[in-house]
Amino acid sequence: MKHQITIKDIANKLGLSTSTVSRALKDHPDISPKTRTAVKELAGLLGYRPNRIALNLRNNSTRTIGLIIPEIEHYFFSAIINGIEEVAYKNDYSVMVFQSNESYKREVINTQAVLTNRVDGVLVSFSKETRDFSHFQRLIDNEIPVVFFDRVTDELQADQVVADDYQGAFLAVNHLIEKGCKQIAHFAAPQSLAIGRSRLSGYHDALLKHNIPYNPAQVVLADTFETAKKAAHEILRKPNHPDGFFAVNDMSAIAIIKAAFELGIKVPGEIKVVGFENSKSSALIEPELTSVDQFGFDLGREACLLLLKRLKDVDDSSDFKPVKKVIKTRLVVRGTS
Amino acid sequence: MKHQITIKDIANKLGLSTSTVSRALKDHPDISPKTRTAVKELAGLLGYRPNRIALNLRNNSTRTIGLIIPEIEHYFFSAIINGIEEVAYKNDYSVMVFQSNESYKREVINTQAVLTNRVDGVLVSFSKETRDFSHFQRLIDNEIPVVFFDRVTDELQADQVVADDYQGAFLAVNHLIEKGCKQIAHFAAPQSLAIGRSRLSGYHDALLKHNIPYNPAQVVLADTFETAKKAAHEILRKPNHPDGFFAVNDMSAIAIIKAAFELGIKVPGEIKVVGFENSKSSALIEPELTSVDQFGFDLGREACLLLLKRLKDVDDSSDFKPVKKVIKTRLVVRGTS
DNA sequence: AAAACAAGCGCAATCGGTTGAAATTTTTAA
DNA sequence: TTAAAAATTTCAACCGATTGCGCTTGTTTT
């Protein structure tokens, strides 16, 4: 890198001290209007830009937030990043992205990385593997504000922003029942994740509301395209297969539809399917997928706003009360139900 | 943030100077083994972590790379980020993400942001709006290495990493012809983008190879789902519509298929469609989309590797020769052709 | 005319770590 | 025993910007 213009360069050329230049640049009243304009003029001429690193050191703040996320290549998460980046941008923060790739080990390394990078705060959605949260506790111990989103835990004293998974699941299953489904299967996420538990719970309660007995055999763990496709094939091959499917995400839902197509089963004629995410893909397939919109962009926005609020209220050490923000979900009815 | 353990804390507790502690921590031969172990032990005990910001200031380097990208919510770009992050991670770099949202104005601000954040290098894929590249020239003037990927320009003396768009387009159109298409339309990207020009050129040359006359009327500007859907409807409603479609990206291709479906036109029976991107979605729709894989992950990897190489060879000021790296594409044949 | 005051600017410390050179202590050789 | 050599350790400057405090000036008040 080329030599950057510093305050010292300006001071030398003008025969002033660096302190005067510094003050002149920020309109300090001690400085006479004459020197003030002279300094500013030269600064503009030389293309002076304050060295953020020096300020970072002095202020012990980087105006950067760390983002730890399972994987970017997933519509929901990229929508969230979008929301986060939007808020960060408007507040003059930068975002550093770290992917865990659903690996616990990598996630631990990521938490170290955000520490060494001295980010001001961290936004986290942890991996499917993560059972132990002590690496996040380490961040909190260092008094770095942490906000969890989507994948959250109550084991830590930290803010959370989540979609209303229970409500979304309830709406979805209720919808299937109202559309005439008698036997509804649920393709679930790992129960170690709160989203897995909440969505199962919504599924459960919607059944009960309509006096349909809950049958654990109708719940299978399948939250990826591959696992869901395999599971759907097995289930749909049986004679008395379910006539309704509620999948924990759109990929699983689409896998079910694919499997049905391959087996010559009509959607929504013979089986109906509802997904969760309202991803771009849901509107691309034919028939289009009914899905629960979890407003990833808004979720990202809210998470980032909450974090920025924490960063402002620095003196939160004593009376810290974790906040849990819930983003309402909405059922988008399309062709598969 | 809590008080972080500094080198000074260790020095005080051990009755040493900060310089000794600093050297001890990095196994400098001047320091006796005794003090060396003592320092390291205490450092481990206190959980000392070197303050990256202080090092940044001293070394005038942040071990951070800036990434300016149109939008994350796009499979191709998130695949690229994935590749970039992978390489950055392995080389102990962090990635700062800035989205332009296809806005020139925002992109200019982004270039300022990477400057103030003093990133070591920048990876750029510019917006569709961008015609003037002087904001990138400003980065180069500041001797910040810049590598362009996917959306590139020859107007700047900078490295480029692109998919072999010409080859991919040629393969796609050649494939359509071999499958029996007589009249092939092309849904193109803006000709201000090199990818737009290259893909059109590949389309053109593939036609010529088979002695099919090139007809400009068969080329429409439609590189989003919405515009493509509309254009496809218009075209397919006409009596003598084309029997083959080569779209500049998967979204456009899928839009064509959707339009065909809505008009009761069979794919691949009556018309055949080939996309470009090989996105996740291409394997989700029915029939599955034939598409040109442009290996986004590898493209990201290569771009990042190239940038890191430039960062190593700092003394490149005089004999700088821009490198253009081309990533081969591959036609993935599926159901729509 | 002397004291009080204000305006305008510079000194020096600070943030945390690194590093060439100097200073100190220890070891070795004469 | 003492000087020279070697082994350790400390000093001080530096990276770039900020800021409390003090130092000059010149002006006002009594």
Side-chain angles (χ1 to χ4, degrees):
Chain A
M1 243 206 296
K2 193 167 67 173
H3 169 74
Q4 297 278 338
I5 302 295
T6 74
I7 224 167
K8 203 188 258 171
D9 298 323
I10 299 176
N12 285 342
K13 293 212 192 209
L14 254 41
L16 291 170
S17 72
T18 58
S19 11
T20 302
V21 175
S22 171
R23 278 187 258 253
L25 286 171
K26 35 176 48 188
D27 285 324
H28 193 287
D30 271 9
I31 308 303
S32 71
K34 221 189 306 169
T35 34
R36 220 182 289 183
T37 51
V39 166
K40 285 188 180 175
E41 202 170 295
L42 186 59
L45 208 69
L46 297 177
Y48 166 77
R49 302 182 65 85
N51 187 325
R52 178 81 145 248
I53 306 177
L55 293 177
N56 288 347
L57 179 58
R58 176 157 240 281
N59 304 333
N60 202 24
S61 143
T62 53
R63 276 200 102 71
T64 296
I65 65 183
L67 174 60
I68 299 178
I69 210 166
E71 46 187 352
I72 291 175
E73 252 186 50
H74 194 306
Y75 173 74
F76 177 56
F77 285 121
S78 59
I80 288 178
I81 298 183
N82 220 341
I84 291 171
E85 219 261 325
E86 191 61 35
V87 173
Y89 168 77
K90 280 190 185 143
N91 290 274
D92 195 26
Y93 272 82
S94 299
V95 180
M96 271 192 183
V97 180
F98 301 88
Q99 291 188 76
S100 67
N101 289 322
E102 301 285 11
S103 147
Y104 166 72
K105 212 174 132 200
R106 175 85 175 252
E107 187 175 275
V108 172
I109 296 172
N110 285 340
T111 60
Q112 291 167 355
V114 298
L115 264 179
T116 61
N117 278 292
R118 291 295 208 274
V119 299
D120 292 352
V122 182
L123 293 168
V124 177
S125 189
F126 48 75
S127 86
K128 285 181 194 169
E129 282 183 15
T130 306
R131 302 279 179 285
D132 175 17
F133 300 102
S134 52
H135 51 308
F136 296 125
Q137 185 59 49
R138 216 171 309 139
L139 295 180
I140 297 170
D141 289 344
N142 278 282
E143 287 181 24
I144 296 177
V146 180
V147 175
F148 289 87
F149 61 90
D150 190 51
R151 312 233 187 122
V152 302
T153 175
D154 288 326
E155 283 187 32
L156 298 169
Q157 283 282 307
D159 296 324
Q160 306 178 359
V161 180
V162 291
D164 196 336
D165 296 303
Y166 173 86
Q167 178 223 19
F170 189 94
L171 286 176
V173 176
N174 189 62
H175 169 73
L176 284 172
I177 297 170
E178 286 178 349
K179 285 288 174 183
C181 294
K182 300 294 177 208
Q183 215 192 123
I184 299 171
H186 175 39
F187 279 33
Q191 293 302 297
S192 57
L193 296 177
I195 59 163
R197 294 193 298 273
S198 302
R199 293 179 194 179
L200 175 59
S201 168
Y203 161 81
H204 174 272
D205 289 4
L207 292 181
L208 252 58
K209 183 192 157 198
H210 293 271
N211 296 316
I212 301 177
Y214 169 73
N215 178 359
Q218 303 274 36
V219 177
V220 298
L221 182 74
D223 64 339
T224 65
F225 185 81
E226 289 73 24
T227 56
K229 183 106 175 264
K230 208 170 148 222
H233 259 284
E234 279 175 26
I235 293 171
L236 290 173
R237 246 195 286 271
K238 289 181 192 154
N240 273 328
H241 62 71
D243 56 354
F245 288 82
F246 167 54
V248 75
N249 59 39
D250 280 0
M251 278 299 143
S252 302
I254 292 173
I256 294 168
I257 294 166
K258 275 249 159 193
F261 179 84
E262 286 164 13
L263 294 169
I265 297 170
K266 294 269 179 297
V267 181
E270 299 174 60
I271 66 169
K272 302 194 199 306
V273 181
V274 177
F276 205 115
E277 183 172 335
N278 196 30
S279 60
K280 281 265 154 63
S281 301
S282 61
L284 299 180
I285 61 165
E286 199 62 52
E288 295 183 3
L289 177 67
T290 295
S291 187
V292 178
D293 194 340
Q294 49 184 337
F295 298 103
F297 184 86
D298 295 312
L299 208 150
R301 279 189 71 244
E302 292 300 328
C304 197
L305 283 172
L306 189 51
L307 181 64
L308 292 184
K309 194 153 150 283
R310 290 293 185 192
L311 292 179
K312 256 185 212 138
D313 313 342
V314 279
D315 49 348
D316 56 355
S317 40
S318 56
D319 53 342
F320 181 83
K321 280 271 176 299
V323 169
K324 177 162 188 165
K325 192 149 186 116
V326 178
I327 311 290
K328 284 283 166 227
T329 51
R330 187 182 52 126
L331 183 69
V332 180
V333 179
R334 297 202 187 83
T336 58
S337 65
Chain B
M1 245 207 293
K2 191 168 71 173
H3 168 74
Q4 298 277 340
I5 301 295
T6 74
I7 224 168
K8 206 188 254 172
D9 298 321
I10 299 176
N12 285 342
K13 292 213 193 212
L14 254 41
L16 291 169
S17 72
T18 59
S19 16
T20 303
V21 174
S22 170
R23 278 189 255 253
L25 286 170
K26 36 175 48 186
D27 286 324
H28 194 286
D30 272 8
I31 307 302
S32 71
K34 223 190 305 170
T35 33
R36 214 182 291 181
T37 52
V39 166
K40 284 190 180 174
E41 204 169 293
L42 186 60
L45 207 69
L46 297 177
Y48 166 77
R49 301 183 66 84
N51 186 324
R52 178 80 144 250
I53 306 176
L55 293 177
N56 289 348
L57 179 58
R58 174 157 242 281
N59 304 333
N60 201 24
S61 143
T62 53
R63 275 200 101 72
T64 296
I65 65 184
L67 174 61
I68 300 177
I69 209 165
E71 46 187 353
I72 291 176
E73 254 187 49
H74 194 305
Y75 172 75
F76 178 56
F77 286 122
S78 59
I80 288 177
I81 298 183
N82 220 341
I84 291 170
E85 219 262 324
E86 191 61 34
V87 172
Y89 168 76
K90 280 191 185 143
N91 291 274
D92 195 27
Y93 272 81
S94 299
V95 180
M96 272 192 181
V97 180
F98 302 88
Q99 291 188 78
S100 67
N101 289 321
E102 301 285 9
S103 148
Y104 167 72
K105 212 174 132 202
R106 175 85 174 253
E107 188 176 274
V108 172
I109 296 172
N110 285 340
T111 60
Q112 291 168 355
V114 298
L115 263 179
T116 61
N117 278 292
R118 291 292 208 278
V119 298
D120 292 352
V122 183
L123 293 169
V124 177
S125 189
F126 48 75
S127 87
K128 284 180 194 170
E129 283 183 16
T130 306
R131 302 277 179 284
D132 174 18
F133 301 102
S134 52
H135 50 308
F136 297 125
Q137 185 59 49
R138 216 172 307 138
L139 295 181
I140 297 170
D141 289 344
N142 277 282
E143 287 183 24
I144 295 178
V146 179
V147 174
F148 289 88
F149 61 90
D150 191 50
R151 312 235 187 119
V152 301
T153 174
D154 289 326
E155 282 187 32
L156 297 169
Q157 283 281 309
D159 297 322
Q160 306 179 359
V161 180
V162 291
D164 195 336
D165 295 303
Y166 173 85
Q167 177 222 20
F170 190 94
L171 287 176
V173 176
N174 190 62
H175 169 73
L176 284 172
I177 298 169
E178 286 179 349
K179 285 287 174 183
C181 293
K182 300 292 176 209
Q183 216 193 120
I184 299 171
H186 175 38
F187 278 34
Q191 294 302 297
S192 58
L193 295 178
I195 60 163
R197 295 192 298 272
S198 302
R199 292 179 195 180
L200 175 59
S201 167
Y203 160 83
H204 174 271
D205 289 5
L207 292 180
L208 254 58
K209 183 193 157 197
H210 292 272
N211 298 315
I212 302 177
Y214 169 73
N215 179 0
Q218 303 275 35
V219 177
V220 299
L221 183 74
D223 64 340
T224 66
F225 185 83
E226 289 71 25
T227 55
K229 184 103 176 268
K230 205 168 152 227
H233 259 283
E234 279 176 26
I235 293 172
L236 290 173
R237 245 195 285 272
K238 289 180 193 156
N240 272 330
H241 61 72
D243 55 354
F245 288 83
F246 167 54
V248 75
N249 59 39
D250 281 0
M251 278 300 142
S252 302
I254 292 173
I256 295 168
I257 295 167
K258 276 248 156 193
F261 179 85
E262 287 164 14
L263 294 171
I265 297 171
K266 292 272 177 296
V267 181
E270 300 174 59
I271 66 168
K272 300 191 200 310
V273 182
V274 177
F276 206 115
E277 184 171 335
N278 195 30
S279 61
K280 281 265 153 63
S281 300
S282 60
L284 299 180
I285 61 166
E286 200 62 51
E288 296 184 4
L289 177 66
T290 295
S291 186
V292 178
D293 193 340
Q294 50 184 337
F295 299 102
F297 184 86
D298 295 312
L299 208 150
R301 279 189 71 242
E302 292 300 328
C304 197
L305 283 171
L306 189 51
L307 181 64
L308 293 185
K309 195 155 149 282
R310 290 292 185 196
L311 293 180
K312 256 185 212 137
D313 313 343
V314 279
D315 49 347
D316 58 354
S317 40
S318 56
D319 53 343
F320 181 83
K321 279 270 174 301
V323 169
K324 178 162 188 166
K325 190 147 186 118
V326 178
I327 310 289
K328 283 283 166 227
T329 50
R330 188 182 51 127
L331 183 70
V332 180
V333 179
R334 297 203 187 83
T336 57
S337 66

